[in-house]
Amino acid sequence: MDSYLIQVKGHGDHAPMLDVHLKTNGNSISLGKVKGRKPRWAVRASEMSKKTFNPVRAIVDSMKVEPNPKKAMISLSLGDPTVFGNLPTNDEVTRAVKEVLDSGRYNGYAPSVGYQSCREAVAAYYNCPEAPLEAQDVILTSGCSQAIELALAVLANPGQNILVPRPGFSLYKTLALSMGIEVKLYNLLPEKAWEIDLKHLESLVDEKTACLIVNNPSNPCGSVFSKSHLQKILAVASRQCVPILADEIYGDMVFADCKYEPIATLSTNVPILSCGGLAKRWLVPGWRMGWILIHDRRDIFGNEIRDGLLRLSQRILGPCTIVQGALERILHRTPPEFYHNTLSILKSNADLCYAALSAIPGLQPVRPAGAMYLMVEIEMEHFPEFENDVEFTERLISEQSVFCLPATCFEYPNFFRVVITVPEEMILEACSRIQEFCEMHYQGAEGAQDLECDK
């Protein structure tokens, strides 16, 4: 029988030495003295953390400009409708949460996919003959952002690619790259009210394409796709056998002269994961209540995608149980006039902003049809002292204390995005300051040419 003897020798400040003897078949063999390993700290950030990159934060944080101290700051940059207090949620919504809190019945853990009764409430709210839903088709999430994260994680593997709109919400790229998923950007067309360039979209599809992201109504564009355009998008997805991740967080937030069509209601065979939530329509983004609606009438996803979503949801224990408890009442008892009033304010602000900016030489706003945003083209040839949209918006802050997001944040340079949820007087003041700024820096064709020569 073989045996091993290891003796540790060392004293004082000297590192211990291992005296190793191997005894086999009665004979002892010395392997000599081996210096012991001295532990060292070697804590490094994970590869996922290194791959995680938020372009909005990266660009905005690097701007480092001070507003004009003589003018109060007007921020038109953050897509949070609660900032200025002019768009409160409905009393019925807050009352529902208060009653649930007082009941003490929703203080514990819920199933990772959400309470069954709450899933039933969401399914009932969105169910329609064209896109039927049951509770099993609903997964509750911590906001729409987590819904998008879970949908991406279940559909795509590292090394595959997803198709993402340009301009588009930066979170898609942030999440995908952190998961090792390639992002392919398909173009939206400003001259066609931000419709998708369908030829360009289809040209990007290959054997590694895992899904197509369709954001309608759009952040950052404020566009709303027509029924016929959605049908053309579905035709591409059907031909290429690519499932759709539909970001519909702004669903039904469309102006009176437009109609919102959930893409799943138009699909006969393309499987769709539709992501939504309370954040925007009910004006409570901080409550972190979202959902995934699974539309799969041809059973293409089958049990595999459903089981995958269940397992992924178990990584954390779902959204806030207090809000879950109030969800049925929020969905079914919020009065219609609340939605109408919110949209009336947004439409009025959009019209005011579009009209004011359209009158400014060098700017070309694109009229929005919904959501909370408006995109504005900067005719950079008329502002030759600025290199790009980032520099333009930096100077707008430092000179006029108006903060708009440069559209480089959305992979679309030489535009900027305006948030239209601020009070009307603030919109008018901001547009007045933008006009003053542009008049100060605008160069006609000859002036721009002279300045270019001076450089």
Side-chain angles (χ1 to χ4, degrees):
M1 180 177 176
D2 297 343
S3 64
Y4 305 88
L5 173 64
I6 301 178
Q7 294 178 317
V8 180
K9 298 179 180 180
H11 58 82
D13 297 328
H14 298 286
M17 303 295 289
L18 302 184
D19 197 357
V20 183
H21 293 268
L22 172 63
K23 190 173 184 179
T24 177
N25 296 327
N27 298 316
S28 180
I29 305 171
S30 175
L31 298 182
K33 296 180 178 180
V34 181
K35 189 171 184 179
R37 174 186 175 274
K38 184 178 180 180
R40 295 182 181 179
W41 290 105
V43 182
R44 298 287 182 270
S46 69
E47 288 303 308
M48 174 180 269
S49 72
K50 292 176 182 177
K51 291 176 182 175
T52 300
F53 171 79
N54 186 326
V56 174
R57 289 264 55 90
I59 292 169
V60 171
D61 292 348
S62 67
M63 290 172 77
K64 294 179 182 177
V65 292
E66 293 294 326
N68 185 338
K70 297 179 180 179
K71 298 188 177 187
M73 185 69 171
I74 301 176
S75 179
L76 306 178
S77 62
L78 186 61
D80 181 347
T82 71
V83 171
F84 296 98
N86 60 313
L87 291 172
T89 192
N90 184 256
D91 288 343
E92 190 70 38
V93 175
T94 52
R95 196 177 301 120
V97 173
K98 287 175 183 177
E99 290 184 6
V100 167
L101 188 61
D102 290 340
S103 76
R105 294 190 296 114
Y106 290 90
N107 295 333
Y109 289 126
S112 62
V113 293
Y115 288 116
Q116 178 72 10
S117 61
C118 302
R119 297 167 72 195
E120 289 171 355
V122 174
Y125 187 77
Y126 287 103
N127 178 61
C128 63
E130 300 81 12
L133 283 170
E134 298 177 4
Q136 66 180 8
D137 303 316
V138 178
I139 291 179
L140 301 183
T141 62
S142 182
C144 187
S145 296
Q146 195 205 8
I148 294 167
E149 180 184 30
L150 295 183
L152 279 178
V154 81
L155 291 175
N157 285 308
Q160 289 187 292
N161 65 71
I162 60 171
L163 308 181
V164 171
R166 174 174 54 200
F169 184 36
S170 61
L171 183 70
Y172 311 138
K173 185 173 182 179
T174 298
L175 292 172
L177 295 183
S178 72
M179 299 178 196
I181 300 164
E182 181 188 355
V183 171
K184 290 188 171 183
L185 300 170
Y186 65 82
N187 291 330
L188 305 182
L189 302 170
E191 67 275 15
K192 293 188 175 181
W194 300 111
E195 287 189 346
I196 295 173
D197 183 338
L198 295 168
K199 288 185 179 179
H200 183 234
L201 169 66
E202 193 158 11
S203 73
L204 297 175
V205 179
D206 61 23
E207 68 281 357
K208 291 185 178 181
T209 300
C211 76
L212 159 63
I213 294 181
V214 177
N215 177 208
N216 179 55
S218 165
N219 174 12
C221 301
S223 57
V224 180
F225 292 149
S226 67
K227 180 178 179 178
S228 63
H229 190 60
L230 288 168
Q231 288 169 330
K232 292 173 184 176
I233 297 166
L234 286 165
V236 172
S238 179
R239 277 196 301 272
Q240 299 297 336
C241 297
V242 175
I244 288 176
L245 192 170
D247 179 357
E248 298 181 320
I249 187 63
Y250 295 97
D252 289 311
M253 287 189 76
V254 300
F255 303 150
D257 52 354
C258 197
K259 187 182 179 190
Y260 164 67
E261 304 271 1
I263 193 168
T265 62
L266 306 174
S267 173
T268 57
N269 65 327
V270 176
I272 295 165
L273 297 181
S274 174
C275 300
L278 291 183
K280 308 298 181 172
R281 192 176 188 216
W282 285 269
L283 307 175
V284 286
W287 290 12
R288 310 313 301 139
M289 173 56 67
W291 46 74
I292 300 172
L293 309 180
I294 304 169
H295 297 279
D296 186 26
R297 276 171 286 166
R298 295 288 182 90
D299 202 31
I300 294 168
F301 284 150
N303 289 332
E304 185 165 344
I305 294 299
R306 292 175 183 272
D307 291 346
L309 283 170
L310 172 61
R311 288 192 295 271
L312 288 169
S313 74
Q314 291 169 344
R315 300 202 308 175
I316 62 170
L317 277 172
C320 173
T321 54
I322 299 294
V323 183
Q324 284 192 59
L327 193 51
E328 181 174 9
R329 182 165 168 177
I330 291 171
L331 293 175
H332 295 287
R333 295 197 194 176
T334 303
E337 57 266 24
F338 164 72
Y339 308 122
H340 175 76
N341 292 341
T342 300
L343 289 172
S344 294
I345 292 169
L346 294 179
K347 174 71 160 63
S348 176
N349 282 354
D351 288 345
L352 285 171
C353 190
Y354 177 79
L357 297 181
S358 295
I360 300 174
L363 298 184
Q364 293 289 340
V366 182
R367 185 185 290 276
M372 310 187 314
Y373 312 102
L374 178 147
M375 285 277 275
V376 185
E377 182 181 5
I378 311 164
E379 296 176 339
M380 296 303 300
E381 68 273 17
H382 292 299
F383 301 97
E385 64 187 287
F386 305 129
E387 288 292 326
N388 49 44
D389 57 309
V390 176
E391 193 173 319
F392 181 97
T393 52
E394 281 179 338
R395 290 283 293 278
L396 184 57
I397 296 170
S398 63
E399 294 181 21
Q400 297 292 338
S401 297
V402 175
F403 184 13
C404 302
L405 268 190
T408 293
C409 295
F410 310 108
E411 308 279 354
Y412 213 77
N414 300 334
F415 276 70
F416 62 87
R417 187 192 75 173
V418 175
V419 173
I420 57 173
T421 56
V422 303
E424 179 180 308
E425 62 273 15
M426 207 170 278
I427 282 276
L428 293 172
E429 173 63 20
C431 288
S432 175
R433 293 188 197 176
I434 292 171
Q435 180 175 359
E436 184 180 331
F437 175 81
C438 289
E439 287 174 351
M440 180 75 68
H441 297 284
Y442 180 86
Q443 297 284 337
E446 292 182 6
Q449 192 174 25
D450 291 343
L451 197 57
E452 210 46 51
C453 291
D454 291 341
K455 288 182 180 179

